């Protein structure tokens, strides 16, 4: 038994009623009393699943239940815990999270990990005679006091000291429990976020008739993630509205609030000031409004399963000017609202006009047709978003500006999981390679999106250009 790692199991709805259990022997999940882990939910069968330790690995196996077990949205007959696993018991049933407990040994009865259990394990590890747990100065002091109490129980002084020692133990144990509980909730929230990103990739890839089911699941996960953020107090009352918007926009573009690196918010604020010091932002928004570009652009983006805030990518590219031409480059001249170079424009169905080599408008060039170019740009962004970028909007921006070939080559050298394949990691690994223009490009779009959520907060005299989306 001592060689079997302890398995921590969480059940609940991502809110305050999450229950935690520890197991070191085979157990069953189901509705009946005979199941060691009983969950009273109509989506669960009487004996729904069995969890056992086999060949050096914990496994969950479906027991021919009616609704099955789902991993990453797919029904499976079984799955390993290595070292974590999240399953759902039925398409609409409850979630269960598994994780191995590091550094545990010895048999543990299958039981709820209550406050008492945590305090008891803390006491046994650190405070009893012969305890082997690593101890700092304060713990050594408490341990010494605790042992003296046991030797002098008959004296009044020992009783008084024992009371102080027990209070100290209780405080230390509770603090330990609170810290552990917070860490667990944060880890669960992060895991849920990256499952949401996986669904974002699915939404951008599945056929139109199947999108609704994925979006419903995504919306449910979003609500549960919000509950997690509430319990973790990520958006606390003392946070400024500007900081709140920066974090929200980061999530829109596929970056977890819990993983935002130090200095990011300050950098976004720097680029907000750049927008505030220029008349470009207001002129571009007014042009989009007057020519009715906004609804068409956001509808095209949404139809491809993309965040509508990529609207601001066109703003950074051209200020919404459909007749603009860029400077000559070895790839040709970029033209139109979305600044397509000839090769990419042709790849996405745009006719390239006879004046392609001249920096001037060309009525025979579809890149100047803003509606056709918007459709092409949405398909191009979707391809970047739903493949190697793994739904990282910031990586999509970098690819669009610097060239997908250059960025994707570097992206593919990063870990193939969404948690580590992001713009921060790209900067860490390749900052000397990335042009300053691309760095500026990404932060200009992010900061423009932040301003757009509440322009008046930032000193502009108009409302959110994307407010029409909130009325749907």
């Amino acid at each position: 038994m001592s060689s079997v790692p302890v398995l921590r199991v969480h059940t609940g709805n991502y809110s305050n009623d999450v229950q935690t259990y520890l197991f070191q022997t085979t157990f069953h999940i189901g509705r009946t009393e005979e199941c060691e882990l009983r969950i009273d939910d109509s989506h669960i069968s009487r004996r729904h699943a069995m969890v056992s330790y086999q060949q050096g690995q914990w496994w969950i196996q479906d027991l021919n239940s009616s609704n099955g077990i789902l991993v990453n949205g797919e029904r499976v007959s079984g799955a390993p815990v290595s070292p974590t696993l999240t399953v759902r018991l039925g398409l609409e049933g409850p979630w269960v999270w598994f994780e191995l407990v590091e550094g545990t040994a010895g048999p543990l009865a299958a039981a709820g990990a209550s406050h008492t259990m945590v305090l008891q394990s803390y006491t046994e590890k650190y405070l009893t005679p012969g305890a082997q747990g690593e101890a700092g100065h304060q713990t050594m002091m408490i341990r010494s006091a605790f042992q003296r109490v046991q030797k002098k129980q008959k004296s009044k002084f020992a009783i008084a000291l024992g009371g102080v020692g027990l209070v100290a133990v209780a405080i230390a144990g509770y603090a330990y429990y609170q810290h552990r509980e917070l860490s667990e909730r944060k880890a669960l929230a992060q895991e849920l976020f990256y499952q949401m990103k996986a669904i974002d990739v699915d939404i951008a890839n599945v056929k139109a008739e199947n999108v609704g089911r994925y979006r419903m699941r995504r919306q449910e996960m979003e609500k549960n993630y919000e509950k997690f953020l509430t319990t973790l107090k990520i958006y606390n009352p003392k946070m400024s509205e500007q900081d709140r918007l920066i974090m929200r926009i980061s999530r829109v573009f596929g970056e977890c609030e819990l993983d935002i690196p130090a200095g990011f918010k300050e950098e976004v604020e720097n680029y907000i000031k750049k927008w505030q010091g220029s008349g470009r932002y207001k002129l571009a928004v007014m042009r989009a409004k007057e020519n009715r570009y906004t609804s068409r652009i956001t509808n095209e983006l949404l139809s491809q399963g993309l965040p509508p805030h990529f609207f601001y990518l066109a703003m950074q590219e051209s200020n919404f000017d459909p007749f603009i031409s860029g400077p000559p480059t070895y790839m040709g001249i970029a033209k139109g609202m979305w600044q397509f170079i000839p090769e990419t424009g042709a790849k996405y169905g745009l006719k390239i006009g006879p004046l392609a080599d001249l920096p001037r408008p060309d009525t025979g060039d579809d890149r100047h047709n803003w509606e056709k170019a918007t459709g092409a740009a949405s398909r191009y962004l979707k391809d970047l978003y739903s493949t190697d970028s793994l739904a990282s909007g910031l990586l999509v921006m970098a690819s669009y500006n610097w060239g997908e070939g250059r960025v994707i080559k570097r992206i593919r050298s990063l870990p193939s999981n969404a948690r580590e394949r992001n713009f921060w990691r790209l900067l860490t690994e390749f900052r000397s390679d990335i042009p300053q223009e691309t760095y500026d490009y990404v932060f200009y779009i992010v900061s423009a999106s932040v301003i757009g959520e509440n322009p008046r907060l930032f000193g502009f005299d108009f409302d959110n250009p994307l407010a029409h989306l909130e009325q749907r």
Side-chain angles (χ1 to χ4, degrees):
M1 177 71 70
S2 61
S3 63
V4 178
V6 176
L7 185 66
R8 181 182 289 114
V9 184
H10 310 273
T11 66
N13 66 352
Y14 300 106
S15 187
N16 285 323
D17 57 352
V18 171
Q19 302 296 315
T20 302
Y21 305 85
L22 299 177
F23 292 96
Q24 203 176 17
T25 60
T26 297
F27 61 97
H28 298 81
I29 303 173
R31 292 201 324 270
T32 64
E33 296 288 350
E34 65 186 30
C35 292
E36 292 82 359
L37 180 51
R38 181 175 179 271
I39 304 176
D40 187 12
D41 189 286
S42 60
H43 298 94
I44 298 178
S45 298
R46 293 171 58 81
R47 283 168 58 87
H48 198 102
M50 179 179 73
V51 182
S52 59
Y53 191 74
Q54 306 173 24
Q55 300 178 339
Q57 181 114 22
W58 279 101
W59 283 80
I60 182 171
Q61 295 172 290
D62 186 20
L63 298 178
N64 296 317
S65 61
S66 299
N67 295 317
I69 58 176
L70 288 82
V71 177
N72 294 327
E74 300 295 331
R75 183 164 180 168
V76 298
S77 59
V81 179
S82 58
T84 62
L85 176 68
T86 301
V87 303
R88 191 166 192 183
L89 306 178
L91 186 61
E92 299 180 354
W95 295 86
V96 182
W97 309 275
F98 302 92
E99 61 174 332
L100 299 180
V101 179
E102 297 181 0
T104 55
L108 282 174
S114 63
H115 292 227
T116 303
M117 177 182 292
V118 175
L119 181 56
Q120 179 182 354
S121 64
Y122 183 88
T123 304
E124 290 174 352
K125 184 175 181 182
Y126 292 102
L127 303 177
T128 57
Q132 300 299 313
E134 296 180 6
H137 178 68
Q138 290 181 333
T139 303
M140 290 297 294
M141 291 177 61
I142 296 173
R143 178 185 292 173
S144 177
F146 189 73
Q147 292 173 357
R148 288 200 304 272
V149 168
Q150 292 182 316
K151 294 179 180 179
K152 301 179 180 179
Q153 289 181 344
K154 294 183 180 181
S155 68
K156 293 181 180 180
F157 175 74
I159 293 173
L161 184 60
V164 173
L166 289 173
V167 170
V169 171
I171 292 173
Y174 186 70
Y176 170 82
Y177 171 76
Q178 289 286 84
H179 174 74
R180 190 61 179 266
E181 183 78 2
L182 187 65
S183 297
E184 290 174 358
R185 288 186 182 278
K186 181 177 179 180
L188 291 172
Q190 289 169 317
E191 184 173 350
L192 177 59
F193 180 87
Y194 291 107
Q195 288 186 9
M196 286 161 51
K197 285 196 71 174
I199 290 184
D200 287 338
V201 174
D202 290 338
I203 289 173
N205 279 309
V206 299
K207 295 180 179 179
E209 59 267 24
N210 297 324
V211 166
R213 180 166 60 91
Y214 282 89
R215 282 184 175 158
M216 287 180 61
R217 190 190 313 165
R218 177 64 166 77
Q219 290 169 0
E220 180 184 352
M221 294 173 76
E222 184 91 18
K223 292 177 182 177
N224 290 326
Y225 180 69
E226 288 280 1
K227 292 178 182 178
F228 259 132
L229 296 183
T230 299
T231 62
L232 292 169
K233 299 180 180 179
I234 300 302
Y235 291 93
N236 62 74
K238 295 182 180 180
M239 177 181 289
S240 70
E241 181 63 16
Q242 178 170 299
D243 284 352
R244 189 182 302 273
L245 291 177
I246 291 173
M247 293 181 71
R248 288 289 186 187
I249 289 299
S250 298
R251 190 207 300 186
V252 166
F253 285 124
E255 304 301 340
C256 180
E257 291 102 324
L258 302 169
D259 292 333
I260 291 176
F264 173 72
K265 289 193 289 187
E266 290 76 10
E267 189 72 324
V268 174
E269 289 169 1
N270 290 335
Y271 283 81
I272 288 174
K273 292 175 183 176
K274 294 178 188 291
W275 282 116
Q276 290 172 322
S278 165
R280 185 161 76 93
Y281 195 101
K282 180 176 181 179
L283 289 175
V285 169
M286 292 301 102
R287 176 181 285 148
K289 182 178 180 180
E290 290 168 3
N291 291 282
R292 300 182 179 178
Y293 295 152
T294 310
S295 295
R296 179 60 184 271
I297 291 173
T298 53
N299 286 340
E300 284 284 352
L301 293 168
L302 289 169
S303 72
Q304 298 296 334
L306 297 170
H309 294 73
F310 277 121
F311 167 84
Y312 295 100
L313 186 146
M315 178 171 161
Q316 176 62 18
E317 285 285 352
S318 66
N319 296 325
F320 300 114
D321 182 352
F323 301 107
I324 193 171
S325 294
T329 70
Y330 78 96
M331 296 291 288
I333 296 175
K335 292 189 176 186
M337 181 184 293
W338 295 91
Q339 287 291 280
F340 274 113
I341 59 173
E343 180 182 353
T344 307
K347 179 180 177 181
Y348 285 88
L350 299 179
K351 184 177 68 175
I352 307 303
L355 304 180
D357 295 331
L358 299 175
R360 52 182 285 193
D362 182 354
T363 57
D365 197 315
D366 285 344
R367 291 178 293 172
H368 292 302
N369 183 319
W370 73 270
E371 291 179 292
K372 289 183 179 179
T374 294
S378 297
R379 296 192 298 275
Y380 180 35
L381 290 169
K382 171 198 166 183
D383 287 346
L384 295 172
Y385 184 84
S386 61
T387 53
D388 294 283
S389 294
L390 297 180
S392 168
L394 276 63
L395 286 181
V396 171
M397 297 171 200
S399 300
Y400 198 99
N401 175 260
W402 193 23
E404 58 182 292
R406 297 188 187 96
V407 177
I408 288 176
K409 176 183 176 181
R410 291 165 174 81
I411 288 176
R412 288 177 178 171
S413 71
L414 301 178
S416 58
N417 65 80
R419 180 174 298 209
E420 298 181 81
R421 182 173 285 193
N422 53 46
F423 187 64
W424 333 124
R425 186 67 179 267
L426 186 72
L427 286 179
T428 300
E429 300 290 336
F430 303 106
R431 182 63 184 97
S432 61
D433 298 344
I434 298 173
Q436 184 63 33
E437 177 192 338
T438 299
Y439 182 91
D440 292 339
Y441 184 87
V442 172
F443 278 97
Y444 268 121
I445 295 171
V446 172
S447 57
S449 301
V450 172
I451 293 171
E453 292 299 283
N454 187 356
R456 296 185 187 279
L457 176 68
F458 299 97
F460 295 92
D461 60 353
F462 51 87
D463 296 319
N464 183 353
L466 307 187
H468 64 284
L469 298 174
E470 300 175 2
Q471 301 171 2
R472 291 187 169 192

